[in-house]
Coordinates of all heavy atoms in Angstrom, one line a residue:
V1611 N 170.3 111.8 91.8 CA 170.3 113.2 91.5 C 171.1 113.3 90.2 O 172.2 112.7 90.0 CB 171.0 114.0 92.6 CG1 171.2 115.5 92.2 CG2 170.1 114.0 93.9
G1612 N 170.6 114.0 89.2 CA 171.3 114.2 87.9 C 170.3 114.2 86.8 O 169.1 114.5 87.0
T1613 N 170.7 113.8 85.6 CA 169.9 113.9 84.4 C 169.6 112.5 83.8 O 170.5 111.7 83.6 CB 170.6 114.7 83.3 OG1 170.9 116.1 83.8 CG2 169.8 114.9 82.0
Y1614 N 168.3 112.3 83.7 CA 167.7 111.0 83.1 C 167.3 111.3 81.7 O 166.9 112.5 81.3 CB 166.5 110.6 83.8 CG 166.8 110.0 85.2 CD1 167.1 110.7 86.3 CD2 166.7 108.6 85.4 CE1 167.3 110.2 87.5 CE2 166.9 108.0 86.6 CZ 167.2 108.8 87.7 OH 167.4 108.3 89.0
T1615 N 167.4 110.3 80.8 CA 166.9 110.4 79.4 C 165.9 109.3 79.2 O 166.1 108.1 79.5 CB 168.0 110.2 78.4 OG1 169.0 111.2 78.6 CG2 167.4 110.4 77.0
I1616 N 164.6 109.7 78.8 CA 163.5 108.7 78.6 C 163.3 108.6 77.1 O 163.1 109.6 76.4 CB 162.2 109.2 79.3 CG1 162.5 109.6 80.8 CG2 161.2 108.1 79.3 CD1 163.1 108.5 81.6
L1617 N 163.3 107.4 76.6 CA 163.0 107.1 75.2 C 161.7 106.4 75.0 O 161.4 105.4 75.6 CB 164.2 106.3 74.6 CG 164.0 105.8 73.2 CD1 164.1 107.0 72.2 CD2 165.0 104.7 72.8
Y1618 N 160.8 107.0 74.1 CA 159.5 106.4 73.8 C 159.6 105.9 72.4 O 160.0 106.6 71.4 CB 158.4 107.4 73.9 CG 158.2 108.0 75.3 CD1 158.9 109.1 75.8 CD2 157.3 107.3 76.2 CE1 158.7 109.6 77.1 CE2 157.1 107.8 77.5 CZ 157.8 108.9 77.9 OH 157.6 109.4 79.2
R1619 N 159.1 104.6 72.2 CA 159.2 104.0 70.8 C 157.9 103.2 70.6 O 157.4 102.5 71.5 CB 160.4 103.0 70.7 CG 160.5 102.3 69.4 CD 161.6 101.2 69.5 NE 161.6 100.4 68.2 CZ 162.5 100.6 67.3 NH1 163.4 101.6 67.3 NH2 162.5 99.8 66.2
V1620 N 157.3 103.5 69.4 CA 156.0 102.8 69.0 C 156.2 102.2 67.6 O 156.5 102.9 66.7 CB 154.8 103.7 69.1 CG1 153.5 102.9 68.7 CG2 154.6 104.3 70.4
E1621 N 156.0 100.9 67.5 CA 156.0 100.2 66.2 C 154.6 100.0 65.7 O 153.7 99.8 66.4 CB 156.8 98.9 66.4 CG 158.2 99.0 66.9 CD 158.9 97.7 67.1 OE1 158.1 96.7 67.1 OE2 160.1 97.6 67.4
N1622 N 154.5 100.0 64.3 CA 153.2 99.6 63.7 C 153.0 98.1 63.9 O 153.9 97.3 63.5 CB 153.3 99.9 62.2 CG 151.9 99.7 61.5 OD1 151.2 98.8 61.8 ND2 151.6 100.6 60.6
P1623 N 151.9 97.7 64.6 CA 151.8 96.2 64.9 C 151.6 95.4 63.7 O 151.9 94.2 63.7 CB 150.5 96.2 65.8 CG 149.8 97.5 65.4 CD 150.8 98.5 65.1
N1624 N 151.3 96.0 62.5 CA 151.2 95.3 61.3 C 152.5 95.1 60.6 O 152.6 94.3 59.7 CB 150.1 96.0 60.4 CG 148.8 96.0 61.0 OD1 148.3 95.1 61.6 ND2 148.1 97.2 60.9
K1625 N 153.5 96.1 60.9 CA 154.8 96.0 60.3 C 155.8 96.6 61.2 O 155.9 97.8 61.5 CB 154.7 96.8 59.0 CG 155.9 96.6 58.1 CD 155.7 97.4 56.7 CE 156.9 97.1 55.8 NZ 156.7 97.8 54.5
K1626 N 156.6 95.7 61.9 CA 157.5 96.1 62.9 C 158.5 97.1 62.5 O 159.1 97.8 63.3 CB 158.2 94.8 63.5 CG 157.2 93.8 64.1 CD 156.5 94.3 65.3 CE 155.6 93.2 65.9 NZ 154.8 93.7 67.0
S1627 N 158.9 97.1 61.2 CA 160.0 98.0 60.7 C 159.5 99.4 60.6 O 160.3 100.3 60.5 CB 160.4 97.5 59.3 OG 159.4 97.5 58.4
V1628 N 158.2 99.7 60.8 CA 157.7 101.0 60.7 C 157.5 101.5 62.2 O 156.7 100.9 62.9 CB 156.4 101.1 59.9 CG1 155.9 102.6 59.9 CG2 156.7 100.7 58.5
Y1629 N 158.2 102.5 62.6 CA 158.1 102.9 64.0 C 158.4 104.4 64.2 O 158.8 105.1 63.2 CB 159.0 102.1 64.9 CG 160.5 102.4 64.6 CD1 161.2 103.4 65.3 CD2 161.2 101.6 63.7 CE1 162.6 103.6 65.0 CE2 162.5 101.8 63.4 CZ 163.2 102.8 64.0 OH 164.5 103.0 63.7
V1630 N 158.1 105.0 65.4 CA 158.4 106.3 65.7 C 159.1 106.4 67.1 O 158.7 105.6 67.9 CB 157.1 107.2 65.7 CG1 156.1 106.7 66.7 CG2 157.4 108.7 65.9
E1631 N 160.1 107.3 67.3 CA 160.7 107.5 68.6 C 160.8 108.9 69.0 O 160.9 109.8 68.1 CB 162.2 106.9 68.5 CG 162.3 105.4 68.5 CD 163.7 104.9 68.5 OE1 164.6 105.7 68.3 OE2 163.9 103.7 68.8
Q1632 N 160.6 109.2 70.3 CA 160.8 110.5 70.9 C 161.5 110.4 72.2 O 161.3 109.4 72.9 CB 159.5 111.2 71.0 CG 158.8 111.6 69.7 CD 157.6 112.5 69.9 OE1 157.4 113.2 70.9 NE2 156.8 112.5 68.8
K1633 N 162.3 111.5 72.6 CA 163.0 111.5 73.9 C 162.6 112.6 74.8 O 162.2 113.7 74.3 CB 164.5 111.6 73.6 CG 165.1 110.4 72.9 CD 166.6 110.6 72.7 CE 167.2 109.3 72.0 NZ 168.7 109.5 71.8
T1634 N 162.7 112.4 76.1 CA 162.5 113.4 77.2 C 163.7 113.4 78.1 O 164.2 112.4 78.5 CB 161.2 113.1 78.0 OG1 160.1 113.2 77.1 CG2 161.1 114.1 79.1
T1635 N 164.2 114.7 78.4 CA 165.3 114.8 79.4 C 164.7 115.3 80.7 O 163.9 116.3 80.8 CB 166.3 115.9 78.9 OG1 166.8 115.4 77.6 CG2 167.4 116.0 79.9
I1636 N 165.0 114.6 81.8 CA 164.5 114.8 83.1 C 165.6 115.1 84.1 O 166.5 114.3 84.2 CB 163.6 113.7 83.6 CG1 162.4 113.5 82.7 CG2 163.1 113.9 85.0 CD1 161.5 112.4 83.1
T1637 N 165.6 116.3 84.7 CA 166.6 116.7 85.7 C 166.0 116.4 87.1 O 164.9 116.9 87.4 CB 167.0 118.2 85.5 OG1 167.4 118.4 84.2 CG2 168.0 118.6 86.5
I1638 N 166.9 115.7 88.0 CA 166.4 115.4 89.3 C 167.3 116.1 90.3 O 168.6 116.1 90.2 CB 166.5 113.9 89.6 CG1 165.7 113.1 88.5 CG2 166.1 113.5 91.0 CD1 164.2 113.5 88.6
R1639 N 166.7 116.9 91.2 CA 167.4 117.6 92.3 C 166.8 117.2 93.6 O 165.7 116.8 93.8 CB 167.2 119.1 92.1 CG 167.8 119.7 90.8 CD 167.6 121.2 90.8 NE 168.2 121.7 89.5 CZ 167.6 121.9 88.4 NH1 166.3 121.5 88.3 NH2 168.2 122.4 87.3
D1640 N 167.7 117.4 94.7 CA 167.3 117.1 96.1 C 167.4 118.4 96.8 O 168.4 118.8 97.3 CB 168.2 116.0 96.7 CG 167.7 115.6 98.1 OD1 166.7 116.3 98.6 OD2 168.2 114.7 98.7
N1641 N 166.2 119.1 97.0 CA 166.2 120.4 97.7 C 165.5 120.3 99.0 O 165.2 121.3 99.6 CB 165.4 121.4 96.8 CG 166.2 121.7 95.5 OD1 167.4 122.0 95.5 ND2 165.5 121.7 94.4
A1642 N 165.3 119.1 99.5 CA 164.6 119.0 100.8 C 165.3 119.5 102.0 O 166.6 119.5 102.0 CB 164.2 117.5 101.0
K1643 N 164.6 119.9 103.0 CA 165.2 120.3 104.3 C 165.8 119.0 104.9 O 165.1 118.0 104.9 CB 164.2 121.0 105.2 CG 164.0 122.4 104.9 CD 163.1 123.1 106.0 CE 163.0 124.5 105.8 NZ 162.3 125.2 106.9
P1644 N 167.0 119.1 105.6 CA 167.5 117.9 106.2 C 166.6 117.5 107.4 O 165.9 118.3 108.0 CB 168.9 118.4 106.7 CG 169.2 119.6 105.9 CD 167.9 120.3 105.6
A1645 N 166.7 116.2 107.7 CA 166.0 115.7 108.8 C 167.1 115.4 109.9 O 168.1 114.7 109.7 CB 165.3 114.4 108.5
I1646 N 166.9 115.9 111.1 CA 167.8 115.7 112.2 C 167.1 114.8 113.2 O 166.0 115.0 113.7 CB 168.2 117.0 112.9 CG1 168.8 118.0 111.9 CG2 169.1 116.7 114.1 CD1 169.1 119.3 112.5
T1647 N 167.7 113.7 113.6 CA 167.2 112.7 114.5 C 168.1 112.5 115.7 O 169.3 112.8 115.6 CB 166.9 111.3 113.8 OG1 168.1 110.8 113.3 CG2 165.9 111.5 112.7
G1648 N 167.6 112.0 116.8 CA 168.4 111.6 118.0 C 168.6 112.8 118.9 O 169.4 112.6 119.9
V1649 N 167.9 113.9 118.7 CA 168.1 115.1 119.6 C 167.0 115.0 120.7 O 165.8 115.0 120.4 CB 168.0 116.4 118.8 CG1 168.1 117.6 119.8 CG2 169.2 116.5 117.8
S1650 N 167.4 114.9 122.0 CA 166.4 114.9 123.1 C 165.9 116.3 123.3 O 166.6 117.3 123.0 CB 167.1 114.4 124.3 OG 167.5 113.0 124.1
N1651 N 164.8 116.4 124.0 CA 164.3 117.8 124.3 C 165.1 118.4 125.5 O 165.4 119.6 125.5 CB 162.8 117.7 124.7 CG 161.9 117.4 123.6 OD1 162.2 117.8 122.4 ND2 160.8 116.7 123.8
S1652 N 165.5 117.5 126.4 CA 166.3 118.0 127.5 C 167.1 116.9 128.2 O 166.7 115.7 128.0 CB 165.4 118.7 128.6 OG 164.5 117.8 129.1
K1653 N 168.1 117.3 129.0 CA 168.9 116.4 129.8 C 169.3 117.1 131.1 O 169.5 118.3 131.1 CB 170.1 115.9 129.1 CG 169.9 114.9 128.0 CD 171.1 114.3 127.4 CE 170.8 113.2 126.4 NZ 172.1 112.7 125.8
T1654 N 169.4 116.3 132.2 CA 169.8 116.9 133.5 C 171.1 116.1 133.9 O 171.1 114.9 134.0 CB 168.7 116.7 134.5 OG1 167.5 117.4 134.1 CG2 169.1 117.3 135.9
I1655 N 172.2 116.9 134.3 CA 173.4 116.3 134.7 C 174.0 117.1 135.9 O 173.4 118.1 136.3 CB 174.5 116.3 133.6 CG1 174.8 117.7 133.2 CG2 174.0 115.5 132.4 CD1 175.9 117.8 132.1
T1656 N 175.1 116.6 136.4 CA 175.7 117.2 137.6 C 177.0 118.0 137.2 O 177.6 117.6 136.2 CB 176.1 116.2 138.7 OG1 174.9 115.4 139.0 CG2 176.7 116.8 139.9
E1657 N 177.2 119.1 137.8 CA 178.4 119.9 137.4 C 179.7 119.1 137.4 O 179.8 118.2 138.2 CB 178.5 121.1 138.4 CG 178.8 120.7 139.8 CD 179.0 121.9 140.7 OE1 179.6 122.9 140.2 OE2 178.6 121.9 141.9
G1658 N 180.4 119.3 136.3 CA 181.6 118.6 136.1 C 181.4 117.3 135.2 O 182.4 116.7 134.9
E1659 N 180.2 117.0 135.0 CA 179.9 115.8 134.2 C 180.1 116.1 132.7 O 179.8 117.2 132.2 CB 178.5 115.3 134.4 CG 178.2 113.9 133.8 CD 176.8 113.5 134.2 OE1 176.3 114.0 135.2 OE2 176.3 112.6 133.5
A1660 N 180.6 115.1 131.9 CA 180.9 115.3 130.4 C 179.8 114.6 129.6 O 179.3 113.6 130.0 CB 182.2 114.8 130.0
L1661 N 179.4 115.2 128.5 CA 178.4 114.6 127.5 C 179.0 114.6 126.1 O 179.7 115.5 125.7 CB 177.1 115.5 127.5 CG 176.1 115.3 128.7 CD1 174.9 116.2 128.4 CD2 175.7 113.9 128.8
N1662 N 178.6 113.5 125.4 CA 178.9 113.4 123.9 C 177.7 114.0 123.3 O 176.6 113.3 123.1 CB 179.2 112.0 123.5 CG 179.5 111.9 122.0 OD1 179.4 112.9 121.3 ND2 179.9 110.7 121.6
L1663 N 177.7 115.2 122.8 CA 176.6 115.9 122.3 C 176.2 115.4 120.9 O 175.1 115.7 120.4 CB 176.8 117.4 122.2 CG 177.1 118.1 123.6 CD1 177.4 119.6 123.4 CD2 175.9 117.9 124.5
L1664 N 177.0 114.6 120.3 CA 176.7 114.0 119.0 C 176.3 112.6 119.1 O 176.0 111.9 118.0 CB 177.9 114.2 118.0 CG 178.1 115.6 117.4 CD1 179.3 115.7 116.6 CD2 176.9 116.0 116.6
S1665 N 176.2 112.0 120.3 CA 175.9 110.6 120.4 C 174.4 110.4 119.9 O 173.5 111.0 120.5 CB 176.0 110.2 121.9 OG 175.6 108.8 122.0
G1666 N 174.3 109.5 118.9 CA 173.0 109.1 118.4 C 172.3 110.2 117.5 O 171.2 110.0 117.0
V1667 N 173.0 111.3 117.3 CA 172.4 112.4 116.5 C 172.9 112.2 115.0 O 174.1 112.0 114.8 CB 172.8 113.8 117.0 CG1 172.3 114.9 116.1 CG2 172.3 113.9 118.4
K1668 N 171.9 112.2 114.1 CA 172.1 112.1 112.7 C 171.3 113.1 111.9 O 170.3 113.6 112.3 CB 171.8 110.7 112.2 CG 172.7 109.6 112.7 CD 172.3 108.3 112.1 CE 173.2 107.1 112.6 NZ 172.9 105.8 112.0
A1669 N 171.9 113.4 110.7 CA 171.1 114.3 109.8 C 171.2 113.7 108.4 O 172.2 113.1 108.0 CB 171.8 115.7 109.8
S1670 N 170.1 113.9 107.7 CA 170.0 113.3 106.3 C 169.1 114.1 105.4 O 168.3 114.8 105.9 CB 169.5 111.8 106.4 OG 168.2 111.8 106.9
I1671 N 169.3 113.8 104.1 CA 168.3 114.3 103.1 C 167.9 113.1 102.3 O 168.6 112.1 102.4 CB 169.0 115.5 102.2 CG1 170.3 115.0 101.6 CG2 169.2 116.7 103.1 CD1 170.9 116.0 100.6
P1672 N 166.9 113.2 101.5 CA 166.4 112.0 100.8 C 167.5 111.3 100.0 O 167.5 110.1 99.9 CB 165.3 112.5 99.9 CG 164.7 113.7 100.7 CD 165.9 114.3 101.3
S1673 N 168.4 112.1 99.4 CA 169.4 111.5 98.5 C 170.7 111.1 99.3 O 171.5 110.4 98.7 CB 169.8 112.5 97.4 OG 170.3 113.7 97.9
K1674 N 170.8 111.5 100.5 CA 172.0 111.2 101.3 C 171.6 110.8 102.7 O 170.8 111.5 103.3 CB 173.0 112.3 101.4 CG 173.8 112.6 100.1 CD 174.9 113.6 100.3 CE 175.7 113.8 99.1 NZ 176.8 114.8 99.3
S1675 N 172.0 109.7 103.2 CA 171.6 109.2 104.5 C 172.4 109.9 105.6 O 172.0 109.7 106.8 CB 171.8 107.7 104.6 OG 173.2 107.4 104.4
S1676 N 173.5 110.6 105.3 CA 174.3 111.2 106.4 C 174.9 112.5 105.9 O 175.7 112.5 104.9 CB 175.4 110.3 106.9 OG 176.1 110.9 107.9
I1677 N 174.6 113.6 106.5 CA 175.2 114.9 106.2 C 175.7 115.5 107.6 O 175.3 115.0 108.7 CB 174.3 115.9 105.5 CG1 173.1 116.2 106.4 CG2 173.9 115.4 104.2 CD1 172.2 117.3 105.8
S1678 N 176.6 116.5 107.5 CA 177.2 117.0 108.7 C 176.2 117.8 109.6 O 175.3 118.4 109.0 CB 178.4 117.9 108.4 OG 178.0 119.0 107.6
V1679 N 176.5 117.8 110.9 CA 175.7 118.5 111.9 C 176.6 119.4 112.7 O 177.6 118.9 113.2 CB 174.9 117.6 112.8 CG1 174.1 118.4 113.8 CG2 174.0 116.7 112.0
T1680 N 176.3 120.7 112.8 CA 177.1 121.6 113.6 C 176.4 121.8 115.0 O 175.1 121.8 115.0 CB 177.2 123.0 113.0 OG1 176.0 123.6 112.8 CG2 178.0 122.9 111.6
V1681 N 177.2 121.9 116.1 CA 176.7 122.0 117.4 C 177.2 123.2 118.1 O 178.4 123.5 118.1 CB 177.0 120.7 118.3 CG1 176.4 120.8 119.7 CG2 176.6 119.5 117.6
T1682 N 176.3 124.0 118.7 CA 176.7 125.2 119.4 C 176.1 125.2 120.8 O 174.9 124.9 120.9 CB 176.2 126.5 118.7 OG1 176.8 126.5 117.4 CG2 176.7 127.7 119.4
V1683 N 176.9 125.4 121.9 CA 176.4 125.4 123.2 C 176.4 126.8 123.7 O 177.4 127.6 123.6 CB 177.3 124.5 124.1 CG1 176.8 124.5 125.6 CG2 177.4 123.1 123.6
K1684 N 175.2 127.3 124.3 CA 175.1 128.6 124.8 C 174.5 128.6 126.2 O 173.7 127.7 126.5 CB 174.2 129.5 123.9 CG 174.8 129.8 122.6 CD 173.9 130.7 121.8 CE 174.5 131.1 120.4 NZ 173.6 132.0 119.7

Side-chain angles (χ1 to χ4, degrees):
V1611 174
T1613 301
Y1614 287 76
T1615 302
I1616 311 300
L1617 174 67
Y1618 296 90
R1619 177 188 175 98
V1620 180
E1621 299 174 350
N1622 188 319
N1624 300 316
K1625 192 174 183 180
K1626 301 295 184 183
S1627 60
V1628 179
Y1629 64 91
V1630 63
E1631 286 186 346
Q1632 289 188 24
K1633 293 180 181 180
T1634 294
T1635 300
I1636 296 178
T1637 303
I1638 303 301
R1639 298 184 178 89
D1640 185 354
N1641 294 314
K1643 279 189 174 185
I1646 301 175
T1647 59
V1649 177
S1650 302
N1651 290 329
S1652 65
K1653 284 187 178 181
T1654 301
I1655 62 175
T1656 303
E1657 63 179 323
E1659 188 176 340
L1661 283 180
N1662 182 352
L1663 299 178
L1664 284 176
S1665 176
V1667 177
K1668 291 184 179 180
S1670 65
I1671 56 176
S1673 60
K1674 285 187 177 182
S1675 61
S1676 179
I1677 61 174
S1678 62
V1679 179
T1680 61
V1681 181
T1682 303
V1683 180
K1684 291 185 178 181

